[in-house]
mmCIF file with all atom_site columns, all heavy atoms in Angstrom:
data_model
loop_
_atom_site.group_PDB
_atom_site.id
_atom_site.type_symbol
_atom_site.label_atom_id
_atom_site.label_alt_id
_atom_site.label_comp_id
_atom_site.label_asym_id
_atom_site.label_entity_id
_atom_site.label_seq_id
_atom_site.pdbx_PDB_ins_code
_atom_site.Cartn_x
_atom_site.Cartn_y
_atom_site.Cartn_z
_atom_site.occupancy
_atom_site.B_iso_or_equiv
_atom_site.pdbx_formal_charge
_atom_site.auth_seq_id
_atom_site.auth_comp_id
_atom_site.auth_asym_id
_atom_site.auth_atom_id
_atom_site.pdbx_PDB_model_num
ATOM 1   N N   . PRO A 1 1  ? 60.944 156.089 84.281 1.00 0.00 ? 26 PRO A N   1
ATOM 2   C CA  . PRO A 1 1  ? 59.780 156.868 83.851 1.00 0.00 ? 26 PRO A CA  1
ATOM 3   C C   . PRO A 1 1  ? 60.010 157.558 82.508 1.00 0.00 ? 26 PRO A C   1
ATOM 4   O O   . PRO A 1 1  ? 61.049 158.195 82.294 1.00 0.00 ? 26 PRO A O   1
ATOM 5   C CB  . PRO A 1 1  ? 59.619 157.897 84.963 1.00 0.00 ? 26 PRO A CB  1
ATOM 6   C CG  . PRO A 1 1  ? 60.187 157.229 86.165 1.00 0.00 ? 26 PRO A CG  1
ATOM 7   C CD  . PRO A 1 1  ? 61.358 156.452 85.643 1.00 0.00 ? 26 PRO A CD  1
ATOM 8   N N   . GLY A 1 2  ? 59.050 157.406 81.597 1.00 0.00 ? 27 GLY A N   1
ATOM 9   C CA  . GLY A 1 2  ? 59.131 158.034 80.296 1.00 0.00 ? 27 GLY A CA  1
ATOM 10  C C   . GLY A 1 2  ? 60.034 157.358 79.302 1.00 0.00 ? 27 GLY A C   1
ATOM 11  O O   . GLY A 1 2  ? 60.219 157.872 78.200 1.00 0.00 ? 27 GLY A O   1
ATOM 12  N N   . LYS A 1 3  ? 60.608 156.216 79.658 1.00 0.00 ? 28 LYS A N   1
ATOM 13  C CA  . LYS A 1 3  ? 61.514 155.510 78.780 1.00 0.00 ? 28 LYS A CA  1
ATOM 14  C C   . LYS A 1 3  ? 61.052 154.083 78.535 1.00 0.00 ? 28 LYS A C   1
ATOM 15  O O   . LYS A 1 3  ? 60.209 153.555 79.254 1.00 0.00 ? 28 LYS A O   1
ATOM 16  C CB  . LYS A 1 3  ? 62.931 155.516 79.359 1.00 0.00 ? 28 LYS A CB  1
ATOM 17  C CG  . LYS A 1 3  ? 63.514 156.901 79.501 1.00 0.00 ? 28 LYS A CG  1
ATOM 18  C CD  . LYS A 1 3  ? 64.966 156.846 79.936 1.00 0.00 ? 28 LYS A CD  1
ATOM 19  C CE  . LYS A 1 3  ? 65.575 158.237 79.995 1.00 0.00 ? 28 LYS A CE  1
ATOM 20  N NZ  . LYS A 1 3  ? 67.006 158.201 80.398 1.00 0.00 ? 28 LYS A NZ  1
ATOM 21  N N   . GLN A 1 4  ? 61.593 153.471 77.497 1.00 0.00 ? 29 GLN A N   1
ATOM 22  C CA  . GLN A 1 4  ? 61.208 152.102 77.153 1.00 0.00 ? 29 GLN A CA  1
ATOM 23  C C   . GLN A 1 4  ? 61.889 151.112 78.107 1.00 0.00 ? 29 GLN A C   1
ATOM 24  O O   . GLN A 1 4  ? 62.861 151.431 78.792 1.00 0.00 ? 29 GLN A O   1
ATOM 25  C CB  . GLN A 1 4  ? 61.596 151.789 75.703 1.00 0.00 ? 29 GLN A CB  1
ATOM 26  C CG  . GLN A 1 4  ? 63.085 151.671 75.448 1.00 0.00 ? 29 GLN A CG  1
ATOM 27  C CD  . GLN A 1 4  ? 63.402 151.343 74.032 1.00 0.00 ? 29 GLN A CD  1
ATOM 28  O OE1 . GLN A 1 4  ? 63.901 152.176 73.265 1.00 0.00 ? 29 GLN A OE1 1
ATOM 29  N NE2 . GLN A 1 4  ? 63.111 150.122 73.626 1.00 0.00 ? 29 GLN A NE2 1
ATOM 30  N N   . ARG A 1 5  ? 61.355 149.899 78.112 1.00 0.00 ? 30 ARG A N   1
ATOM 31  C CA  . ARG A 1 5  ? 61.947 148.833 78.895 1.00 0.00 ? 30 ARG A CA  1
ATOM 32  C C   . ARG A 1 5  ? 63.125 148.258 78.145 1.00 0.00 ? 30 ARG A C   1
ATOM 33  O O   . ARG A 1 5  ? 63.014 147.824 77.007 1.00 0.00 ? 30 ARG A O   1
ATOM 34  C CB  . ARG A 1 5  ? 60.895 147.745 79.168 1.00 0.00 ? 30 ARG A CB  1
ATOM 35  C CG  . ARG A 1 5  ? 61.361 146.662 80.113 1.00 0.00 ? 30 ARG A CG  1
ATOM 36  C CD  . ARG A 1 5  ? 60.256 145.650 80.425 1.00 0.00 ? 30 ARG A CD  1
ATOM 37  N NE  . ARG A 1 5  ? 59.116 146.288 81.070 1.00 0.00 ? 30 ARG A NE  1
ATOM 38  C CZ  . ARG A 1 5  ? 58.066 145.650 81.536 1.00 0.00 ? 30 ARG A CZ  1
ATOM 39  N NH1 . ARG A 1 5  ? 57.972 144.330 81.416 1.00 0.00 ? 30 ARG A NH1 1
ATOM 40  N NH2 . ARG A 1 5  ? 57.063 146.321 82.104 1.00 0.00 ? 30 ARG A NH2 1
ATOM 41  N N   . ASP A 1 6  ? 64.293 148.240 78.805 1.00 0.00 ? 31 ASP A N   1
ATOM 42  C CA  . ASP A 1 6  ? 65.526 147.799 78.194 1.00 0.00 ? 31 ASP A CA  1
ATOM 43  C C   . ASP A 1 6  ? 66.098 146.586 78.928 1.00 0.00 ? 31 ASP A C   1
ATOM 44  O O   . ASP A 1 6  ? 65.947 146.437 80.132 1.00 0.00 ? 31 ASP A O   1
ATOM 45  C CB  . ASP A 1 6  ? 66.579 148.907 78.189 1.00 0.00 ? 31 ASP A CB  1
ATOM 46  C CG  . ASP A 1 6  ? 66.210 150.076 77.315 1.00 0.00 ? 31 ASP A CG  1
ATOM 47  O OD1 . ASP A 1 6  ? 65.592 149.862 76.277 1.00 0.00 ? 31 ASP A OD1 1
ATOM 48  O OD2 . ASP A 1 6  ? 66.579 151.221 77.668 1.00 0.00 ? 31 ASP A OD2 1
ATOM 49  N N   . VAL A 1 7  ? 66.803 145.746 78.166 1.00 0.00 ? 32 VAL A N   1
ATOM 50  C CA  . VAL A 1 7  ? 67.460 144.602 78.768 1.00 0.00 ? 32 VAL A CA  1
ATOM 51  C C   . VAL A 1 7  ? 68.652 145.064 79.604 1.00 0.00 ? 32 VAL A C   1
ATOM 52  O O   . VAL A 1 7  ? 69.390 145.969 79.206 1.00 0.00 ? 32 VAL A O   1
ATOM 53  C CB  . VAL A 1 7  ? 67.892 143.581 77.692 1.00 0.00 ? 32 VAL A CB  1
ATOM 54  C CG1 . VAL A 1 7  ? 68.935 144.175 76.759 1.00 0.00 ? 32 VAL A CG1 1
ATOM 55  C CG2 . VAL A 1 7  ? 68.397 142.299 78.331 1.00 0.00 ? 32 VAL A CG2 1
ATOM 56  N N   . VAL A 1 8  ? 68.816 144.440 80.749 1.00 0.00 ? 33 VAL A N   1
ATOM 57  C CA  . VAL A 1 8  ? 69.969 144.701 81.620 1.00 0.00 ? 33 VAL A CA  1
ATOM 58  C C   . VAL A 1 8  ? 70.962 143.543 81.520 1.00 0.00 ? 33 VAL A C   1
ATOM 59  O O   . VAL A 1 8  ? 72.158 143.759 81.303 1.00 0.00 ? 33 VAL A O   1
ATOM 60  C CB  . VAL A 1 8  ? 69.522 144.865 83.095 1.00 0.00 ? 33 VAL A CB  1
ATOM 61  C CG1 . VAL A 1 8  ? 70.728 145.028 84.004 1.00 0.00 ? 33 VAL A CG1 1
ATOM 62  C CG2 . VAL A 1 8  ? 68.578 146.054 83.231 1.00 0.00 ? 33 VAL A CG2 1
ATOM 63  N N   . ALA A 1 9  ? 70.484 142.325 81.680 1.00 0.00 ? 34 ALA A N   1
ATOM 64  C CA  . ALA A 1 9  ? 71.334 141.148 81.628 1.00 0.00 ? 34 ALA A CA  1
ATOM 65  C C   . ALA A 1 9  ? 70.481 139.921 81.354 1.00 0.00 ? 34 ALA A C   1
ATOM 66  O O   . ALA A 1 9  ? 69.318 139.862 81.770 1.00 0.00 ? 34 ALA A O   1
ATOM 67  C CB  . ALA A 1 9  ? 72.102 140.972 82.943 1.00 0.00 ? 34 ALA A CB  1
ATOM 68  N N   . THR A 1 10 ? 71.063 138.956 80.666 1.00 0.00 ? 35 THR A N   1
ATOM 69  C CA  . THR A 1 10 ? 70.386 137.684 80.418 1.00 0.00 ? 35 THR A CA  1
ATOM 70  C C   . THR A 1 10 ? 71.344 136.536 80.717 1.00 0.00 ? 35 THR A C   1
ATOM 71  O O   . THR A 1 10 ? 72.544 136.686 80.729 1.00 0.00 ? 35 THR A O   1
ATOM 72  C CB  . THR A 1 10 ? 69.899 137.564 78.960 1.00 0.00 ? 35 THR A CB  1
ATOM 73  O OG1 . THR A 1 10 ? 71.013 137.602 78.063 1.00 0.00 ? 35 THR A OG1 1
ATOM 74  C CG2 . THR A 1 10 ? 68.916 138.670 78.627 1.00 0.00 ? 35 THR A CG2 1
ATOM 75  N N   . ILE A 1 11 ? 70.734 135.360 80.957 1.00 0.00 ? 36 ILE A N   1
ATOM 76  C CA  . ILE A 1 11 ? 71.514 134.170 81.231 1.00 0.00 ? 36 ILE A CA  1
ATOM 77  C C   . ILE A 1 11 ? 70.779 132.948 80.668 1.00 0.00 ? 36 ILE A C   1
ATOM 78  O O   . ILE A 1 11 ? 69.576 132.808 80.837 1.00 0.00 ? 36 ILE A O   1
ATOM 79  C CB  . ILE A 1 11 ? 71.795 134.025 82.751 1.00 0.00 ? 36 ILE A CB  1
ATOM 80  C CG1 . ILE A 1 11 ? 72.691 132.835 83.030 1.00 0.00 ? 36 ILE A CG1 1
ATOM 81  C CG2 . ILE A 1 11 ? 70.488 133.958 83.533 1.00 0.00 ? 36 ILE A CG2 1
ATOM 82  C CD1 . ILE A 1 11 ? 73.247 132.820 84.461 1.00 0.00 ? 36 ILE A CD1 1
ATOM 83  N N   . THR A 1 12 ? 71.511 132.083 79.974 1.00 0.00 ? 37 THR A N   1
ATOM 84  C CA  . THR A 1 12 ? 70.918 130.853 79.465 1.00 0.00 ? 37 THR A CA  1
ATOM 85  C C   . THR A 1 12 ? 70.853 129.804 80.548 1.00 0.00 ? 37 THR A C   1
ATOM 86  O O   . THR A 1 12 ? 71.412 129.957 81.625 1.00 0.00 ? 37 THR A O   1
ATOM 87  C CB  . THR A 1 12 ? 71.752 130.308 78.288 1.00 0.00 ? 37 THR A CB  1
ATOM 88  O OG1 . THR A 1 12 ? 73.021 129.837 78.789 1.00 0.00 ? 37 THR A OG1 1
ATOM 89  C CG2 . THR A 1 12 ? 71.981 131.366 77.219 1.00 0.00 ? 37 THR A CG2 1
ATOM 90  N N   . ARG A 1 13 ? 70.166 128.701 80.242 1.00 0.00 ? 38 ARG A N   1
ATOM 91  C CA  . ARG A 1 13 ? 70.077 127.615 81.201 1.00 0.00 ? 38 ARG A CA  1
ATOM 92  C C   . ARG A 1 13 ? 71.462 127.064 81.530 1.00 0.00 ? 38 ARG A C   1
ATOM 93  O O   . ARG A 1 13 ? 71.695 126.632 82.659 1.00 0.00 ? 38 ARG A O   1
ATOM 94  C CB  . ARG A 1 13 ? 69.172 126.499 80.669 1.00 0.00 ? 38 ARG A CB  1
ATOM 95  C CG  . ARG A 1 13 ? 68.982 125.360 81.652 1.00 0.00 ? 38 ARG A CG  1
ATOM 96  C CD  . ARG A 1 13 ? 67.897 124.388 81.223 1.00 0.00 ? 38 ARG A CD  1
ATOM 97  N NE  . ARG A 1 13 ? 67.771 123.292 82.164 1.00 0.00 ? 38 ARG A NE  1
ATOM 98  C CZ  . ARG A 1 13 ? 67.109 123.344 83.310 1.00 0.00 ? 38 ARG A CZ  1
ATOM 99  N NH1 . ARG A 1 13 ? 66.480 124.475 83.655 1.00 0.00 ? 38 ARG A NH1 1
ATOM 100 N NH2 . ARG A 1 13 ? 67.048 122.299 84.119 1.00 0.00 ? 38 ARG A NH2 1
ATOM 101 N N   . GLY A 1 14 ? 72.363 127.102 80.568 1.00 0.00 ? 39 GLY A N   1
ATOM 102 C CA  . GLY A 1 14 ? 73.715 126.592 80.770 1.00 0.00 ? 39 GLY A CA  1
ATOM 103 C C   . GLY A 1 14 ? 74.652 127.577 81.414 1.00 0.00 ? 39 GLY A C   1
ATOM 104 O O   . GLY A 1 14 ? 75.810 127.241 81.682 1.00 0.00 ? 39 GLY A O   1
ATOM 105 N N   . GLY A 1 15 ? 74.206 128.829 81.652 1.00 0.00 ? 40 GLY A N   1
ATOM 106 C CA  . GLY A 1 15 ? 75.021 129.790 82.360 1.00 0.00 ? 40 GLY A CA  1
ATOM 107 C C   . GLY A 1 15 ? 75.741 130.833 81.514 1.00 0.00 ? 40 GLY A C   1
ATOM 108 O O   . GLY A 1 15 ? 76.530 131.597 82.060 1.00 0.00 ? 40 GLY A O   1
ATOM 109 N N   . SER A 1 16 ? 75.464 130.889 80.228 1.00 0.00 ? 41 SER A N   1
ATOM 110 C CA  . SER A 1 16 ? 76.064 131.910 79.380 1.00 0.00 ? 41 SER A CA  1
ATOM 111 C C   . SER A 1 16 ? 75.382 133.254 79.626 1.00 0.00 ? 41 SER A C   1
ATOM 112 O O   . SER A 1 16 ? 74.161 133.348 79.601 1.00 0.00 ? 41 SER A O   1
ATOM 113 C CB  . SER A 1 16 ? 75.938 131.521 77.918 1.00 0.00 ? 41 SER A CB  1
ATOM 114 O OG  . SER A 1 16 ? 76.507 132.496 77.080 1.00 0.00 ? 41 SER A OG  1
ATOM 115 N N   . THR A 1 17 ? 76.170 134.311 79.853 1.00 0.00 ? 42 THR A N   1
ATOM 116 C CA  . THR A 1 17 ? 75.629 135.608 80.257 1.00 0.00 ? 42 THR A CA  1
ATOM 117 C C   . THR A 1 17 ? 75.908 136.691 79.217 1.00 0.00 ? 42 THR A C   1
ATOM 118 O O   . THR A 1 17 ? 76.881 136.634 78.471 1.00 0.00 ? 42 THR A O   1
ATOM 119 C CB  . THR A 1 17 ? 76.206 136.060 81.593 1.00 0.00 ? 42 THR A CB  1
ATOM 120 O OG1 . THR A 1 17 ? 77.632 136.161 81.495 1.00 0.00 ? 42 THR A OG1 1
ATOM 121 C CG2 . THR A 1 17 ? 75.849 135.051 82.691 1.00 0.00 ? 42 THR A CG2 1
ATOM 122 N N   . HIS A 1 18 ? 75.020 137.705 79.207 1.00 0.00 ? 43 HIS A N   1
ATOM 123 C CA  . HIS A 1 18 ? 75.161 138.888 78.370 1.00 0.00 ? 43 HIS A CA  1
ATOM 124 C C   . HIS A 1 18 ? 74.694 140.075 79.170 1.00 0.00 ? 43 HIS A C   1
ATOM 125 O O   . HIS A 1 18 ? 73.730 140.004 79.919 1.00 0.00 ? 43 HIS A O   1
ATOM 126 C CB  . HIS A 1 18 ? 74.350 138.748 77.084 1.00 0.00 ? 43 HIS A CB  1
ATOM 127 C CG  . HIS A 1 18 ? 74.764 137.582 76.239 1.00 0.00 ? 43 HIS A CG  1
ATOM 128 N ND1 . HIS A 1 18 ? 75.741 137.673 75.271 1.00 0.00 ? 43 HIS A ND1 1
ATOM 129 C CD2 . HIS A 1 18 ? 74.338 136.296 76.228 1.00 0.00 ? 43 HIS A CD2 1
ATOM 130 C CE1 . HIS A 1 18 ? 75.884 136.497 74.694 1.00 0.00 ? 43 HIS A CE1 1
ATOM 131 N NE2 . HIS A 1 18 ? 75.053 135.657 75.261 1.00 0.00 ? 43 HIS A NE2 1
ATOM 132 N N   . TYR A 1 19 ? 75.378 141.220 78.971 1.00 0.00 ? 44 TYR A N   1
ATOM 133 C CA  . TYR A 1 19 ? 75.089 142.426 79.716 1.00 0.00 ? 44 TYR A CA  1
ATOM 134 C C   . TYR A 1 19 ? 74.967 143.629 78.816 1.00 0.00 ? 44 TYR A C   1
ATOM 135 O O   . TYR A 1 19 ? 75.660 143.746 77.791 1.00 0.00 ? 44 TYR A O   1
ATOM 136 C CB  . TYR A 1 19 ? 76.195 142.712 80.736 1.00 0.00 ? 44 TYR A CB  1
ATOM 137 C CG  . TYR A 1 19 ? 76.367 141.652 81.797 1.00 0.00 ? 44 TYR A CG  1
ATOM 138 C CD1 . TYR A 1 19 ? 77.264 140.616 81.615 1.00 0.00 ? 44 TYR A CD1 1
ATOM 139 C CD2 . TYR A 1 19 ? 75.638 141.705 82.973 1.00 0.00 ? 44 TYR A CD2 1
ATOM 140 C CE1 . TYR A 1 19 ? 77.432 139.633 82.580 1.00 0.00 ? 44 TYR A CE1 1
ATOM 141 C CE2 . TYR A 1 19 ? 75.789 140.729 83.957 1.00 0.00 ? 44 TYR A CE2 1
ATOM 142 C CZ  . TYR A 1 19 ? 76.683 139.703 83.756 1.00 0.00 ? 44 TYR A CZ  1
ATOM 143 O OH  . TYR A 1 19 ? 76.839 138.733 84.720 1.00 0.00 ? 44 TYR A OH  1
ATOM 144 N N   . ALA A 1 20 ? 74.092 144.545 79.224 1.00 0.00 ? 45 ALA A N   1
ATOM 145 C CA  . ALA A 1 20 ? 74.047 145.839 78.566 1.00 0.00 ? 45 ALA A CA  1
ATOM 146 C C   . ALA A 1 20 ? 75.370 146.564 78.842 1.00 0.00 ? 45 ALA A C   1
ATOM 147 O O   . ALA A 1 20 ? 75.955 146.430 79.914 1.00 0.00 ? 45 ALA A O   1
ATOM 148 C CB  . ALA A 1 20 ? 72.884 146.669 79.099 1.00 0.00 ? 45 ALA A CB  1
ATOM 149 N N   . ASP A 1 21 ? 75.832 147.357 77.862 1.00 0.00 ? 46 ASP A N   1
ATOM 150 C CA  . ASP A 1 21 ? 77.100 148.077 78.034 1.00 0.00 ? 46 ASP A CA  1
ATOM 151 C C   . ASP A 1 21 ? 77.102 148.955 79.286 1.00 0.00 ? 46 ASP A C   1
ATOM 152 O O   . ASP A 1 21 ? 78.137 149.125 79.942 1.00 0.00 ? 46 ASP A O   1
ATOM 153 C CB  . ASP A 1 21 ? 77.392 148.928 76.812 1.00 0.00 ? 46 ASP A CB  1
ATOM 154 C CG  . ASP A 1 21 ? 77.776 148.102 75.598 1.00 0.00 ? 46 ASP A CG  1
ATOM 155 O OD1 . ASP A 1 21 ? 78.167 146.929 75.763 1.00 0.00 ? 46 ASP A OD1 1
ATOM 156 O OD2 . ASP A 1 21 ? 77.708 148.645 74.481 1.00 0.00 ? 46 ASP A OD2 1
ATOM 157 N N   . SER A 1 22 ? 75.965 149.524 79.621 1.00 0.00 ? 47 SER A N   1
ATOM 158 C CA  . SER A 1 22 ? 75.880 150.458 80.736 1.00 0.00 ? 47 SER A CA  1
ATOM 159 C C   . SER A 1 22 ? 76.112 149.806 82.102 1.00 0.00 ? 47 SER A C   1
ATOM 160 O O   . SER A 1 22 ? 76.383 150.514 83.080 1.00 0.00 ? 47 SER A O   1
ATOM 161 C CB  . SER A 1 22 ? 74.522 151.158 80.743 1.00 0.00 ? 47 SER A CB  1
ATOM 162 O OG  . SER A 1 22 ? 73.469 150.224 80.834 1.00 0.00 ? 47 SER A OG  1
ATOM 163 N N   . VAL A 1 23 ? 76.017 148.485 82.187 1.00 0.00 ? 48 VAL A N   1
ATOM 164 C CA  . VAL A 1 23 ? 76.165 147.805 83.478 1.00 0.00 ? 48 VAL A CA  1
ATOM 165 C C   . VAL A 1 23 ? 77.351 146.849 83.516 1.00 0.00 ? 48 VAL A C   1
ATOM 166 O O   . VAL A 1 23 ? 77.629 146.266 84.577 1.00 0.00 ? 48 VAL A O   1
ATOM 167 C CB  . VAL A 1 23 ? 74.889 147.062 83.878 1.00 0.00 ? 48 VAL A CB  1
ATOM 168 C CG1 . VAL A 1 23 ? 73.690 147.992 83.837 1.00 0.00 ? 48 VAL A CG1 1
ATOM 169 C CG2 . VAL A 1 23 ? 74.660 145.834 82.989 1.00 0.00 ? 48 VAL A CG2 1
ATOM 170 N N   . LYS A 1 24 ? 78.045 146.683 82.417 1.00 0.00 ? 49 LYS A N   1
ATOM 171 C CA  . LYS A 1 24 ? 79.194 145.776 82.389 1.00 0.00 ? 49 LYS A CA  1
ATOM 172 C C   . LYS A 1 24 ? 80.236 146.170 83.429 1.00 0.00 ? 49 LYS A C   1
ATOM 173 O O   . LYS A 1 24 ? 80.590 147.335 83.565 1.00 0.00 ? 49 LYS A O   1
ATOM 174 C CB  . LYS A 1 24 ? 79.828 145.750 80.999 1.00 0.00 ? 49 LYS A CB  1
ATOM 175 C CG  . LYS A 1 24 ? 79.034 144.964 79.981 1.00 0.00 ? 49 LYS A CG  1
ATOM 176 C CD  . LYS A 1 24 ? 79.737 144.955 78.632 1.00 0.00 ? 49 LYS A CD  1
ATOM 177 C CE  . LYS A 1 24 ? 78.957 144.137 77.619 1.00 0.00 ? 49 LYS A CE  1
ATOM 178 N NZ  . LYS A 1 24 ? 79.567 144.184 76.273 1.00 0.00 ? 49 LYS A NZ  1
ATOM 179 N N   . GLY A 1 25 ? 80.717 145.182 84.148 1.00 0.00 ? 50 GLY A N   1
ATOM 180 C CA  . GLY A 1 25 ? 81.707 145.422 85.181 1.00 0.00 ? 50 GLY A CA  1
ATOM 181 C C   . GLY A 1 25 ? 81.130 145.794 86.519 1.00 0.00 ? 50 GLY A C   1
ATOM 182 O O   . GLY A 1 25 ? 81.864 145.835 87.510 1.00 0.00 ? 50 GLY A O   1
ATOM 183 N N   . ARG A 1 26 ? 79.827 146.073 86.579 1.00 0.00 ? 51 ARG A N   1
ATOM 184 C CA  . ARG A 1 26 ? 79.173 146.464 87.807 1.00 0.00 ? 51 ARG A CA  1
ATOM 185 C C   . ARG A 1 26 ? 78.105 145.474 88.271 1.00 0.00 ? 51 ARG A C   1
ATOM 186 O O   . ARG A 1 26 ? 77.921 145.294 89.470 1.00 0.00 ? 51 ARG A O   1
ATOM 187 C CB  . ARG A 1 26 ? 78.538 147.862 87.686 1.00 0.00 ? 51 ARG A CB  1
ATOM 188 C CG  . ARG A 1 26 ? 79.544 148.963 87.346 1.00 0.00 ? 51 ARG A CG  1
ATOM 189 C CD  . ARG A 1 26 ? 78.888 150.335 87.419 1.00 0.00 ? 51 ARG A CD  1
ATOM 190 N NE  . ARG A 1 26 ? 77.812 150.483 86.448 1.00 0.00 ? 51 ARG A NE  1
ATOM 191 C CZ  . ARG A 1 26 ? 76.542 150.753 86.768 1.00 0.00 ? 51 ARG A CZ  1
ATOM 192 N NH1 . ARG A 1 26 ? 76.192 150.912 88.047 1.00 0.00 ? 51 ARG A NH1 1
ATOM 193 N NH2 . ARG A 1 26 ? 75.621 150.887 85.806 1.00 0.00 ? 51 ARG A NH2 1
ATOM 194 N N   . PHE A 1 27 ? 77.393 144.867 87.323 1.00 0.00 ? 52 PHE A N   1
ATOM 195 C CA  . PHE A 1 27 ? 76.310 143.940 87.644 1.00 0.00 ? 52 PHE A CA  1
ATOM 196 C C   . PHE A 1 27 ? 76.712 142.514 87.293 1.00 0.00 ? 52 PHE A C   1
ATOM 197 O O   . PHE A 1 27 ? 77.472 142.305 86.330 1.00 0.00 ? 52 PHE A O   1
ATOM 198 C CB  . PHE A 1 27 ? 75.054 144.271 86.849 1.00 0.00 ? 52 PHE A CB  1
ATOM 199 C CG  . PHE A 1 27 ? 74.362 145.555 87.246 1.00 0.00 ? 52 PHE A CG  1
ATOM 200 C CD1 . PHE A 1 27 ? 74.948 146.468 88.103 1.00 0.00 ? 52 PHE A CD1 1
ATOM 201 C CD2 . PHE A 1 27 ? 73.111 145.844 86.716 1.00 0.00 ? 52 PHE A CD2 1
ATOM 202 C CE1 . PHE A 1 27 ? 74.300 147.669 88.470 1.00 0.00 ? 52 PHE A CE1 1
ATOM 203 C CE2 . PHE A 1 27 ? 72.453 147.025 87.063 1.00 0.00 ? 52 PHE A CE2 1
ATOM 204 C CZ  . PHE A 1 27 ? 73.057 147.937 87.938 1.00 0.00 ? 52 PHE A CZ  1
#
């Protein structure tokens, strides 16, 4: 609430992943 929509994690069709710093190691 009151904040912008931010990326959490993404994945390509081939399985390459990227994570927001705030969730690395947990998600």
